[in-house]
Amino acid sequence: MSSSNVVDLISLIYSFIRAERDRYEREKGVIWVTDLVRCPLKRVYEDRYPDLVLQEIFKPSLIIGTLVHRGLENLLRELVREYSVETEVEGSRDVILDDGSAVSIRGRLDMLLVRDFERVAVEIKSSRSDKNIPQKHHVDQVRAYNWLMDLSGSILLYVTPARVTQFYIEDRMDDSEVVSRVTSKKAPRYSWECSYCIFSVMCPYKIEI
Ligand code: SF4
């Protein structure tokens, strides 16, 4: 079995995944919506231990998730007729913290559906199980998007081996909830997080559930 002259697909996929990750490079004064819905210590550890983070980027389950996103975005572009469809739509909004400093909250929607004054986000989630969907942190994520981009609501679209389904979330965060999430030191933010955290091997705040 020789692969000397054949195109190296794995290398291409790796470069693609790496470039996708680099789109979320940190910028001073910018907080991504995804940071509002995960343990705040992860952001600190990611800066401190970047090699640990890089070890994760070629995880097959994450690659499958990326492919599901790409495939669904393309398919829904073809299927959705009654709305105009945009993919990978970015928005940002500033909030003032209690100490008077400003931070910019930034988010990127998988899809934005627009019809007249109706603006609906689609957030795609793929997972191995349909247990407890819609998950609290996913609902919080789209509540943040509803606030960030002044949306009518967001569809959480789940693709799992047991269920393909959607939930429509109209609730939204407000400025004070966003500020409290930016400044919160509660670690972990959700009780299950440590079980899936790459930093759990060193973190003094790890909890077992
Ligand atoms: S182990 Fe738990 S508390 Fe520590 S960084 Fe990870 S999620 Fe946060």
Side-chain angles (χ1 to χ4, degrees):
M1 203 164 31
S2 163
S3 60
S4 55
N5 289 322
V6 78
V7 58
D8 186 349
L9 300 179
I10 305 308
S11 168
L12 291 175
I13 294 169
Y14 177 82
S15 301
F16 166 73
I17 296 289
R18 183 79 200 251
E20 283 288 292
R21 183 190 163 274
D22 289 347
R23 290 166 74 204
Y24 288 90
E25 275 295 303
R26 297 249 170 264
E27 270 177 63
K28 202 170 178 329
V30 172
I31 307 270
W32 286 90
V33 162
T34 43
D35 289 321
L36 302 179
V37 293
R38 64 181 194 147
C39 173
L41 266 182
K42 287 182 180 173
R43 192 177 152 90
V44 176
Y45 288 150
E46 280 167 2
D47 289 339
R48 200 177 294 167
Y49 308 112
D51 295 345
L52 273 181
V53 181
L54 276 179
Q55 277 185 10
E56 284 277 292
I57 71 168
F58 207 72
K59 215 169 155 186
S61 59
L62 297 182
I63 295 174
I64 289 170
T66 302
L67 299 180
V68 168
H69 267 74
R70 281 292 177 122
L72 268 174
E73 284 170 9
N74 286 333
L75 180 65
L76 294 175
R77 259 184 185 286
E78 282 177 36
L79 297 181
V80 175
R81 294 265 173 247
E82 59 275 59
Y83 293 83
S84 72
V85 179
E86 294 173 61
T87 52
E88 306 283 316
V89 180
E90 203 168 297
S92 71
R93 184 166 165 177
D94 290 352
V95 287
I96 306 296
L97 306 185
D98 294 341
D99 65 3
S101 61
V103 292
S104 179
I105 309 297
R106 194 174 293 174
R108 188 179 293 130
L109 309 179
D110 291 336
M111 302 182 72
L112 176 64
L113 313 180
V114 179
R115 179 174 62 181
D116 301 325
F117 296 108
E118 192 183 358
R119 288 159 48 82
V120 176
V122 179
E123 177 64 23
I124 298 165
K125 299 295 181 196
S126 61
S127 76
R128 271 170 275 191
S129 160
D130 67 338
K131 205 171 155 198
N132 298 327
I133 62 172
Q135 292 186 21
K136 170 91 170 70
H137 63 299
H138 294 158
V139 172
D140 286 341
Q141 183 180 355
V142 294
R143 288 178 59 247
Y145 289 145
N146 290 345
W147 164 83
L148 180 75
M149 305 197 45
D150 195 22
L151 303 170
S152 317
S154 293
I155 296 170
L156 270 172
L157 174 58
Y158 280 91
V159 179
T160 80
R163 196 155 36 138
V164 177
T165 193
Q166 70 178 58
F167 301 88
Y168 186 55
I169 312 294
E170 288 179 284
D171 188 29
R172 62 178 59 205
M173 291 187 185
D174 57 20
D175 283 27
S176 79
E177 181 176 353
V178 171
V179 167
S180 105
R181 282 174 179 268
V182 169
T183 52
S184 171
K185 302 264 186 291
K186 183 175 182 290
R189 203 184 292 270
Y190 304 95
S191 60
W192 51 268
E193 278 183 285
C194 303
S195 312
Y196 302 92
C197 178
I198 51 171
F199 305 111
S200 62
V201 290
M202 61 178 64
C203 177
Y205 299 95
K206 173 186 174 185
I207 61 170
E208 307 268 2
I209 52 167

